[in-house]
Amino acid sequence: MLNRDALRSAFEAAILALAGEDRIAAVVLQVEGLRERRLRFGYAAGDAAVEQVLRLIADVLRPLDTALQIGEDRFALLLPGMRNAQHALLAVTRLMQVFEQPVVGRGEPWRARPVMGIALYPDHGDGPEAVLLRADAALDEALRLGEQHAIHDGASDPVVVRYGELHDAIEGNRLAVFLQPILDLQGGGVVGAESLARWPAGGGRVGISPADFVPFAEQSGLIGPLTHWSINATLRHVAQLRSSVGMKFSINLSPRVFDQPGLVEKLTGALEIWGIAPERIVAEVTETALVNDLEQTVRVLRRLRDRGLGVAIDDFGTGYASIAYLRKFQATELKIDISLVRGLEGDARGAKLMRAIIDMAHHLDLVTVAEGIEDPATQALLAGMGCDFGQGHHLGQPIPAGDFVARFGG
């Protein structure tokens, strides 16, 4: 990637200059909105946007700090002289603040959203490559959790996902579909399931978590093939269920696929091939997609709705979406994030917020689905608030799709 050699040289020089007990903070920064700007307005606009971002970063860095572009929308920062992790987090906070306002420069102002992963030398590695890998892993964790930053916790080494192995696993159909049941909180019974991709162990390799391989697919360009595989592999199992069962099945769509041509045609074409009514499928999209390119996302989701599919806003409440986004298109479901569901019992303020979200959704004719229900008390509390559906380990673990079909009417 861009500037990798320069980054390694700068890191080695910073190590040689390190004094006393000081540390070097390595920050991997992803600026969401850059890639979409290039795709929408062309390479010149994309290059100008990168220059704008680098100028913003330079405004808050010290003379001894380093900032280099290492990918299409990624940058690496080296911050020497950090006393501890808290000191590094203070520096990151200053970086986040410069992106609070729209980016101004060539062309119209635009909104950039920074997400950062942080690791420290020598705490998290004995050399540049080890520390940068851990900063990369921390970035993936921040993206997974919907946070603006995360610091490597030192608990484990980052999982290495290799392009060739993932590519071959997709092409060779060596991934697996698991289905997690969705229950009717008002009437009882399983009403559907969410499709989840799994990369099981095999060939002398341990299984790799989707928290590791899905973000890698998004960054490496494999998210298109992975999405195509997920759609067809899921529908193959759904087709084995009698249509009279009446269940709906959710398929996650990454924000990265909304700018790829033919997404709607591929999905509706697969429905025709497998003989499945569009009304039985729900396209799940995270709030991140709404932020990245709202207009493009709205266009794609509207076309899916026009063809009869359901649309769910996933992870609602993680801090991305504005209620105003709900005016832009007709979603059918609101999936309330686990962070709002966890610990709900005994949290009076959280309960009021949850009830307000459910009531708002119902006023907008949206079905509500609570994620991450882990105990009977939370299930009963949500049911009493009028929440329609729920999922979580208390209600049903994700299981192999074949087992789901056998259990629920194959």
Side-chain angles (χ1 to χ4, degrees):
M1 300 297 286
L2 300 173
N3 292 318
R4 289 287 188 184
D5 291 338
L7 175 62
R8 188 176 295 105
S9 297
F11 207 143
E12 291 170 350
I15 290 174
L16 291 174
L18 201 59
E21 299 296 319
D22 283 350
R23 293 159 172 80
I24 300 169
V27 181
V28 178
L29 163 65
Q30 178 169 307
V31 180
E32 296 183 350
L34 267 179
R35 182 173 184 271
E36 290 73 17
R37 193 163 181 82
R38 174 176 287 108
L39 289 169
R40 188 171 182 180
F41 298 109
Y43 288 108
D47 292 343
V50 168
E51 293 174 5
Q52 292 165 2
V53 168
L54 286 170
R55 282 198 296 270
L56 285 175
I57 295 171
D59 286 343
V60 297
L61 293 187
R62 305 163 300 172
L64 70 162
D65 297 331
T66 300
L68 294 168
Q69 185 183 9
I70 57 170
E72 188 176 32
D73 57 359
R74 286 198 175 190
F75 303 82
L77 285 62
L78 300 179
L79 312 177
M82 298 289 108
R83 294 186 297 276
N84 49 41
Q86 188 61 39
H87 193 191
L89 288 173
L90 288 172
V92 164
T93 300
R94 292 183 61 205
L95 278 167
M96 289 189 297
Q97 289 172 347
V98 304
F99 290 97
E100 290 179 353
Q101 300 299 320
V103 180
V104 178
R106 290 175 55 187
E108 63 182 13
W110 58 285
R111 179 72 66 177
R113 182 179 182 276
V115 185
M116 305 184 203
I118 311 154
L120 298 176
Y121 172 88
D123 303 57
H124 301 144
D126 57 3
E129 183 171 359
V131 176
L132 288 167
L133 278 173
R134 287 164 174 80
D136 262 325
L139 173 62
D140 287 344
E141 182 70 1
L143 291 167
R144 185 179 69 84
L145 296 175
E147 303 288 349
Q148 278 200 289
H149 63 78
I151 190 165
H152 179 64
D153 61 9
S156 60
D157 289 333
V159 175
V160 177
V161 180
R162 293 180 173 83
Y163 181 95
E165 289 183 356
L166 180 55
H167 176 272
D168 291 347
I170 296 170
E171 293 296 315
N173 197 30
R174 292 197 294 274
L175 302 180
V177 173
F178 276 51
L179 294 174
Q180 182 171 29
I182 298 174
L183 270 70
D184 184 346
L185 296 182
Q186 301 302 316
V190 175
V191 295
E194 178 180 354
S195 175
L196 303 166
R198 294 291 186 264
W199 192 354
R205 175 191 52 73
V206 297
I208 297 179
S209 166
D212 294 312
F213 74 78
V214 173
F216 178 85
E218 291 178 324
Q219 295 301 321
S220 65
L222 286 174
I223 192 61
L226 178 59
T227 300
H228 180 75
W229 171 87
S230 179
I231 290 170
N232 282 280
T234 301
L235 297 183
R236 177 170 62 86
H237 290 289
V238 173
Q240 298 174 41
L241 285 163
R242 298 187 308 272
S243 59
S244 59
V245 172
M247 293 183 180
K248 291 188 177 183
F249 294 85
S250 300
I251 299 175
N252 291 279
L253 299 181
S254 164
R256 294 291 191 183
V257 302
F258 283 91
D259 52 39
Q260 297 184 3
L263 172 64
V264 175
E265 289 73 19
K266 289 177 182 176
L267 183 47
T268 54
L271 289 171
E272 293 178 4
I273 290 172
W274 293 105
I276 297 169
E279 293 77 15
R280 298 184 67 192
I281 301 300
V282 177
E284 286 196 17
V285 54
T286 64
E287 295 180 3
T288 314
L290 303 179
V291 174
N292 283 348
D293 192 337
L294 177 60
E295 297 304 321
Q296 173 67 8
T297 302
V298 166
R299 283 193 294 270
V300 173
L301 295 180
R302 184 175 291 126
R303 293 179 63 199
L304 291 175
R305 289 286 291 117
D306 289 344
R307 286 159 173 77
L309 285 84
V311 171
I313 300 177
D314 196 14
D315 301 333
F316 186 83
T318 54
Y320 289 104
S322 162
I323 293 174
Y325 293 155
L326 300 179
R327 298 173 55 193
K328 296 290 186 178
F329 66 93
Q330 295 297 312
T332 57
E333 298 182 9
L334 200 64
K335 299 197 73 172
I336 304 169
D337 188 68
I338 186 175
S339 62
L340 297 179
V341 174
R342 184 186 292 122
L344 194 60
E345 188 184 19
D347 181 0
R349 189 173 182 84
K352 289 180 180 179
L353 176 61
M354 178 64 71
R355 188 181 295 275
I357 292 173
I358 293 169
D359 290 345
M360 175 198 68
H362 288 166
H363 281 304
L364 294 172
D365 298 321
L366 297 171
V367 169
T368 52
V369 183
E371 300 181 289
I373 297 176
E374 305 295 341
D375 56 76
T378 302
Q379 178 184 353
L381 187 60
L382 287 163
M385 292 179 179
C387 187
D388 301 293
F389 305 124
Q391 65 184 99
H393 288 177
H394 168 64
L395 304 179
Q397 300 262 7
I399 60 175
D403 294 348
F404 185 97
V405 170
R407 182 181 301 178
F408 294 104

Short mmCIF file of all heavy atoms in Angstrom, two decimals, residues 24-29 77 79 82 84-93 95-96 115-121 124 131-140 142 148-154:
data_model
loop_
_atom_site.label_atom_id
_atom_site.label_comp_id
_atom_site.label_asym_id
_atom_site.label_seq_id
_atom_site.Cartn_x
_atom_site.Cartn_y
_atom_site.Cartn_z
N ILE A 24 5.73 5.04 21.98
CA ILE A 24 5.29 5.55 20.69
C ILE A 24 3.88 5.03 20.45
O ILE A 24 3.64 3.82 20.51
CB ILE A 24 6.21 5.08 19.55
CG1 ILE A 24 7.65 5.55 19.77
CG2 ILE A 24 5.69 5.58 18.19
CD1 ILE A 24 8.65 4.90 18.84
N ALA A 25 2.96 5.93 20.20
CA ALA A 25 1.60 5.52 19.86
C ALA A 25 1.50 5.38 18.35
O ALA A 25 1.83 6.31 17.61
CB ALA A 25 0.58 6.54 20.36
N ALA A 26 1.06 4.21 17.89
CA ALA A 26 0.77 4.00 16.47
C ALA A 26 -0.75 4.05 16.33
O ALA A 26 -1.48 3.31 16.99
CB ALA A 26 1.30 2.66 16.01
N VAL A 27 -1.22 4.94 15.46
CA VAL A 27 -2.64 5.13 15.25
C VAL A 27 -2.96 4.81 13.79
O VAL A 27 -2.37 5.41 12.88
CB VAL A 27 -3.08 6.57 15.58
CG1 VAL A 27 -4.59 6.73 15.35
CG2 VAL A 27 -2.71 6.94 17.00
N VAL A 28 -3.86 3.88 13.56
CA VAL A 28 -4.37 3.62 12.21
C VAL A 28 -5.74 4.29 12.13
O VAL A 28 -6.66 3.95 12.88
CB VAL A 28 -4.47 2.12 11.90
CG1 VAL A 28 -5.06 1.90 10.51
CG2 VAL A 28 -3.09 1.48 12.00
N LEU A 29 -5.85 5.24 11.24
CA LEU A 29 -7.03 6.10 11.11
C LEU A 29 -7.75 5.79 9.81
O LEU A 29 -7.16 5.87 8.73
CB LEU A 29 -6.60 7.57 11.15
CG LEU A 29 -7.58 8.63 10.65
CD1 LEU A 29 -8.82 8.67 11.53
CD2 LEU A 29 -6.90 9.99 10.61
N LEU A 77 -0.50 7.16 11.82
CA LEU A 77 0.11 8.25 12.57
C LEU A 77 1.06 7.67 13.60
O LEU A 77 0.72 6.67 14.27
CB LEU A 77 -0.96 9.09 13.28
CG LEU A 77 -1.82 10.05 12.46
CD1 LEU A 77 -2.66 9.34 11.42
CD2 LEU A 77 -2.73 10.85 13.38
N LEU A 79 3.06 8.80 16.99
CA LEU A 79 3.10 9.86 18.00
C LEU A 79 4.13 9.48 19.07
O LEU A 79 3.80 8.77 20.03
CB LEU A 79 1.72 10.04 18.63
CG LEU A 79 0.51 10.14 17.68
CD1 LEU A 79 -0.79 10.25 18.46
CD2 LEU A 79 0.68 11.32 16.74
N MET A 82 4.82 9.52 24.09
CA MET A 82 3.62 9.28 24.88
C MET A 82 4.02 8.64 26.21
O MET A 82 4.82 7.71 26.25
CB MET A 82 2.65 8.35 24.15
CG MET A 82 2.11 8.90 22.83
SD MET A 82 0.93 10.26 23.05
CE MET A 82 1.94 11.65 22.46
N ASN A 84 1.86 7.17 28.43
CA ASN A 84 1.05 5.98 28.71
C ASN A 84 -0.14 5.96 27.76
O ASN A 84 -0.27 6.84 26.88
CB ASN A 84 0.58 5.96 30.17
CG ASN A 84 -0.04 7.29 30.58
OD1 ASN A 84 -0.78 7.91 29.81
ND2 ASN A 84 0.29 7.75 31.78
N ALA A 85 -1.02 4.98 27.95
CA ALA A 85 -2.17 4.86 27.06
C ALA A 85 -3.10 6.06 27.18
O ALA A 85 -3.68 6.51 26.19
CB ALA A 85 -2.93 3.56 27.38
N GLN A 86 -3.27 6.58 28.41
CA GLN A 86 -4.15 7.72 28.59
C GLN A 86 -3.64 8.94 27.83
O GLN A 86 -4.43 9.71 27.25
CB GLN A 86 -4.28 8.05 30.08
CG GLN A 86 -5.33 9.11 30.39
CD GLN A 86 -6.73 8.70 29.96
OE1 GLN A 86 -7.10 7.54 30.10
NE2 GLN A 86 -7.50 9.64 29.43
N HIS A 87 -2.34 9.13 27.83
CA HIS A 87 -1.74 10.23 27.09
C HIS A 87 -2.04 10.09 25.60
O HIS A 87 -2.38 11.06 24.91
CB HIS A 87 -0.23 10.25 27.34
CG HIS A 87 0.45 11.49 26.87
ND1 HIS A 87 1.83 11.61 26.80
CD2 HIS A 87 -0.03 12.69 26.44
CE1 HIS A 87 2.14 12.81 26.35
NE2 HIS A 87 1.04 13.47 26.13
N ALA A 88 -1.96 8.86 25.08
CA ALA A 88 -2.26 8.62 23.67
C ALA A 88 -3.73 8.90 23.37
O ALA A 88 -4.07 9.46 22.32
CB ALA A 88 -1.90 7.18 23.31
N LEU A 89 -4.62 8.53 24.30
CA LEU A 89 -6.05 8.77 24.08
C LEU A 89 -6.36 10.26 24.06
O LEU A 89 -7.25 10.71 23.32
CB LEU A 89 -6.86 8.08 25.18
CG LEU A 89 -6.92 6.55 25.09
CD1 LEU A 89 -7.60 5.97 26.32
CD2 LEU A 89 -7.63 6.11 23.82
N LEU A 90 -5.64 11.05 24.83
CA LEU A 90 -5.83 12.50 24.79
C LEU A 90 -5.45 13.06 23.43
O LEU A 90 -6.13 13.94 22.88
CB LEU A 90 -5.02 13.18 25.89
CG LEU A 90 -5.51 12.98 27.32
CD1 LEU A 90 -4.50 13.54 28.32
CD2 LEU A 90 -6.87 13.66 27.51
N ALA A 91 -4.35 12.55 22.86
CA ALA A 91 -3.93 12.99 21.53
C ALA A 91 -4.97 12.61 20.48
O ALA A 91 -5.29 13.39 19.57
CB ALA A 91 -2.57 12.38 21.18
N VAL A 92 -5.54 11.41 20.62
CA VAL A 92 -6.56 10.95 19.68
C VAL A 92 -7.82 11.82 19.78
O VAL A 92 -8.47 12.12 18.78
CB VAL A 92 -6.89 9.47 19.95
CG1 VAL A 92 -8.19 9.06 19.27
CG2 VAL A 92 -5.75 8.58 19.44
N THR A 93 -8.17 12.23 20.99
CA THR A 93 -9.33 13.09 21.18
C THR A 93 -9.16 14.41 20.42
O THR A 93 -10.11 14.91 19.80
CB THR A 93 -9.55 13.38 22.67
OG1 THR A 93 -9.77 12.14 23.36
CG2 THR A 93 -10.76 14.29 22.89
N LEU A 95 -7.48 14.78 17.72
CA LEU A 95 -7.66 14.45 16.30
C LEU A 95 -9.13 14.35 15.94
O LEU A 95 -9.57 14.84 14.90
CB LEU A 95 -6.96 13.13 15.99
CG LEU A 95 -5.46 13.18 15.74
CD1 LEU A 95 -4.88 11.79 15.76
CD2 LEU A 95 -5.17 13.85 14.40
N MET A 96 -9.91 13.73 16.81
CA MET A 96 -11.33 13.58 16.53
C MET A 96 -12.03 14.92 16.45
O MET A 96 -12.95 15.12 15.65
CB MET A 96 -11.99 12.69 17.59
CG MET A 96 -11.59 11.23 17.50
SD MET A 96 -12.57 10.17 18.59
CE MET A 96 -12.13 10.81 20.20
N VAL A 115 -12.36 7.00 12.38
CA VAL A 115 -12.37 5.86 13.30
C VAL A 115 -10.91 5.44 13.47
O VAL A 115 -10.18 5.32 12.48
CB VAL A 115 -13.20 4.68 12.75
CG1 VAL A 115 -13.28 3.56 13.78
CG2 VAL A 115 -14.60 5.14 12.37
N MET A 116 -10.48 5.22 14.71
CA MET A 116 -9.06 5.01 14.96
C MET A 116 -8.80 3.77 15.81
O MET A 116 -9.55 3.47 16.74
CB MET A 116 -8.46 6.23 15.69
CG MET A 116 -8.68 7.54 14.96
SD MET A 116 -7.88 8.92 15.79
CE MET A 116 -8.87 10.28 15.14
N GLY A 117 -7.71 3.09 15.47
CA GLY A 117 -7.19 2.02 16.29
C GLY A 117 -5.82 2.40 16.80
O GLY A 117 -5.01 2.97 16.05
N ILE A 118 -5.54 2.10 18.07
CA ILE A 118 -4.32 2.57 18.72
C ILE A 118 -3.57 1.40 19.34
O ILE A 118 -4.17 0.51 19.95
CB ILE A 118 -4.66 3.59 19.84
CG1 ILE A 118 -5.62 4.66 19.33
CG2 ILE A 118 -3.40 4.23 20.41
CD1 ILE A 118 -6.46 5.28 20.42
N ALA A 119 -2.25 1.41 19.18
CA ALA A 119 -1.38 0.47 19.88
C ALA A 119 -0.11 1.22 20.27
O ALA A 119 0.25 2.23 19.66
CB ALA A 119 -1.04 -0.73 19.01
N LEU A 120 0.57 0.71 21.30
CA LEU A 120 1.75 1.39 21.84
C LEU A 120 2.99 0.52 21.71
O LEU A 120 2.94 -0.70 21.91
CB LEU A 120 1.54 1.72 23.32
CG LEU A 120 0.39 2.68 23.67
CD1 LEU A 120 0.27 2.81 25.18
CD2 LEU A 120 0.60 4.03 23.03
N TYR A 121 4.10 1.17 21.36
CA TYR A 121 5.42 0.53 21.42
C TYR A 121 6.10 1.01 22.70
O TYR A 121 6.08 2.21 22.98
CB TYR A 121 6.27 0.92 20.21
CG TYR A 121 7.70 0.44 20.31
CD1 TYR A 121 8.05 -0.83 19.86
CD2 TYR A 121 8.70 1.23 20.90
CE1 TYR A 121 9.36 -1.28 19.99
CE2 TYR A 121 10.00 0.78 21.03
CZ TYR A 121 10.32 -0.47 20.58
OH TYR A 121 11.60 -0.93 20.71
N HIS A 124 2.80 -3.16 23.18
CA HIS A 124 1.99 -4.07 22.38
C HIS A 124 2.77 -4.74 21.25
O HIS A 124 2.16 -5.31 20.35
CB HIS A 124 0.79 -3.32 21.80
CG HIS A 124 -0.09 -2.72 22.84
ND1 HIS A 124 -0.74 -1.51 22.69
CD2 HIS A 124 -0.40 -3.18 24.09
CE1 HIS A 124 -1.43 -1.24 23.81
NE2 HIS A 124 -1.24 -2.23 24.65
N VAL A 131 3.40 -3.81 16.21
CA VAL A 131 2.58 -2.75 16.80
C VAL A 131 1.54 -2.26 15.80
O VAL A 131 0.38 -2.03 16.16
CB VAL A 131 3.47 -1.59 17.28
CG1 VAL A 131 2.61 -0.42 17.79
CG2 VAL A 131 4.42 -2.06 18.37
N LEU A 132 1.93 -2.11 14.54
CA LEU A 132 0.98 -1.65 13.54
C LEU A 132 -0.13 -2.68 13.29
O LEU A 132 -1.28 -2.31 13.06
CB LEU A 132 1.71 -1.33 12.23
CG LEU A 132 2.57 -0.06 12.27
CD1 LEU A 132 3.50 -0.01 11.07
CD2 LEU A 132 1.70 1.19 12.33
N LEU A 133 0.21 -3.96 13.36
CA LEU A 133 -0.82 -5.00 13.23
C LEU A 133 -1.84 -4.90 14.36
O LEU A 133 -3.05 -5.06 14.16
CB LEU A 133 -0.19 -6.39 13.22
CG LEU A 133 0.38 -6.89 11.90
CD1 LEU A 133 1.14 -8.20 12.10
CD2 LEU A 133 -0.73 -7.08 10.87
N ARG A 134 -1.35 -4.60 15.56
CA ARG A 134 -2.25 -4.48 16.69
C ARG A 134 -3.09 -3.21 16.61
O ARG A 134 -4.25 -3.19 17.03
CB ARG A 134 -1.47 -4.56 17.99
CG ARG A 134 -1.00 -6.00 18.26
CD ARG A 134 0.09 -6.10 19.31
NE ARG A 134 0.38 -7.50 19.61
CZ ARG A 134 1.14 -8.29 18.89
NH1 ARG A 134 1.69 -7.83 17.78
NH2 ARG A 134 1.35 -9.55 19.23
N ALA A 135 -2.53 -2.15 16.05
CA ALA A 135 -3.33 -0.95 15.82
C ALA A 135 -4.40 -1.22 14.77
O ALA A 135 -5.55 -0.75 14.89
CB ALA A 135 -2.42 0.20 15.37
N ASP A 136 -4.06 -1.99 13.74
CA ASP A 136 -5.05 -2.41 12.73
C ASP A 136 -6.18 -3.20 13.38
O ASP A 136 -7.37 -3.01 13.07
CB ASP A 136 -4.37 -3.27 11.66
CG ASP A 136 -4.02 -2.47 10.41
OD1 ASP A 136 -4.78 -1.55 10.07
OD2 ASP A 136 -2.99 -2.77 9.80
N ALA A 137 -5.80 -4.14 14.27
CA ALA A 137 -6.79 -4.96 14.94
C ALA A 137 -7.70 -4.11 15.83
O ALA A 137 -8.91 -4.34 15.92
CB ALA A 137 -6.11 -6.05 15.78
N ALA A 138 -7.11 -3.10 16.48
CA ALA A 138 -7.91 -2.21 17.32
C ALA A 138 -8.90 -1.40 16.47
O ALA A 138 -10.04 -1.15 16.89
CB ALA A 138 -6.99 -1.27 18.11
N LEU A 139 -8.46 -1.00 15.28
CA LEU A 139 -9.37 -0.30 14.37
C LEU A 139 -10.54 -1.20 13.99
O LEU A 139 -11.70 -0.75 13.98
CB LEU A 139 -8.62 0.16 13.12
CG LEU A 139 -9.48 0.76 12.00
CD1 LEU A 139 -10.20 2.02 12.48
CD2 LEU A 139 -8.64 1.07 10.77
N ASP A 140 -10.26 -2.44 13.66
CA ASP A 140 -11.34 -3.38 13.32
C ASP A 140 -12.32 -3.51 14.48
O ASP A 140 -13.54 -3.60 14.28
CB ASP A 140 -10.76 -4.76 12.97
CG ASP A 140 -10.07 -4.78 11.62
OD1 ASP A 140 -10.30 -3.84 10.83
OD2 ASP A 140 -9.29 -5.71 11.36
N ALA A 142 -12.97 -1.23 16.79
CA ALA A 142 -13.75 0.01 16.87
C ALA A 142 -14.86 0.01 15.83
O ALA A 142 -16.00 0.40 16.11
CB ALA A 142 -12.83 1.22 16.68
N GLN A 148 -15.68 5.34 17.95
CA GLN A 148 -14.77 6.18 17.16
C GLN A 148 -13.32 5.79 17.34
O GLN A 148 -12.49 6.12 16.51
CB GLN A 148 -14.97 7.65 17.51
CG GLN A 148 -16.15 8.29 16.79
CD GLN A 148 -16.03 9.79 16.76
OE1 GLN A 148 -16.18 10.46 17.77
NE2 GLN A 148 -15.74 10.34 15.60
N HIS A 149 -13.00 5.09 18.42
CA HIS A 149 -11.63 4.64 18.61
C HIS A 149 -11.59 3.45 19.54
O HIS A 149 -12.53 3.20 20.31
CB HIS A 149 -10.74 5.77 19.15
CG HIS A 149 -11.15 6.25 20.53
ND1 HIS A 149 -10.85 5.57 21.68
CD2 HIS A 149 -11.85 7.35 20.90
CE1 HIS A 149 -11.32 6.22 22.72
NE2 HIS A 149 -11.94 7.30 22.28
N ALA A 150 -10.51 2.68 19.46
CA ALA A 150 -10.27 1.56 20.37
C ALA A 150 -8.77 1.42 20.52
O ALA A 150 -8.00 1.70 19.58
CB ALA A 150 -10.89 0.27 19.84
N ILE A 151 -8.34 1.00 21.68
CA ILE A 151 -6.92 0.76 21.93
C ILE A 151 -6.71 -0.73 22.14
O ILE A 151 -7.57 -1.41 22.73
CB ILE A 151 -6.42 1.59 23.14
CG1 ILE A 151 -4.89 1.54 23.23
CG2 ILE A 151 -7.08 1.13 24.43
CD1 ILE A 151 -4.31 2.59 24.14
N HIS A 152 -5.61 -1.25 21.62
CA HIS A 152 -5.34 -2.68 21.76
C HIS A 152 -5.31 -3.05 23.23
O HIS A 152 -4.64 -2.39 24.03
CB HIS A 152 -4.01 -3.03 21.09
CG HIS A 152 -3.66 -4.49 21.19
ND1 HIS A 152 -4.41 -5.48 20.61
CD2 HIS A 152 -2.63 -5.11 21.82
CE1 HIS A 152 -3.86 -6.66 20.87
NE2 HIS A 152 -2.79 -6.46 21.60
N ASP A 153 -6.06 -4.12 23.59
CA ASP A 153 -6.17 -4.46 25.01
C ASP A 153 -5.07 -5.38 25.50
O ASP A 153 -5.01 -5.70 26.69
CB ASP A 153 -7.54 -5.09 25.29
CG ASP A 153 -7.76 -6.38 24.50
OD1 ASP A 153 -6.81 -6.87 23.88
OD2 ASP A 153 -8.91 -6.88 24.51
N GLY A 154 -4.22 -5.84 24.58
CA GLY A 154 -3.10 -6.69 24.99
C GLY A 154 -3.50 -8.10 25.33
O GLY A 154 -2.66 -8.90 25.71
#
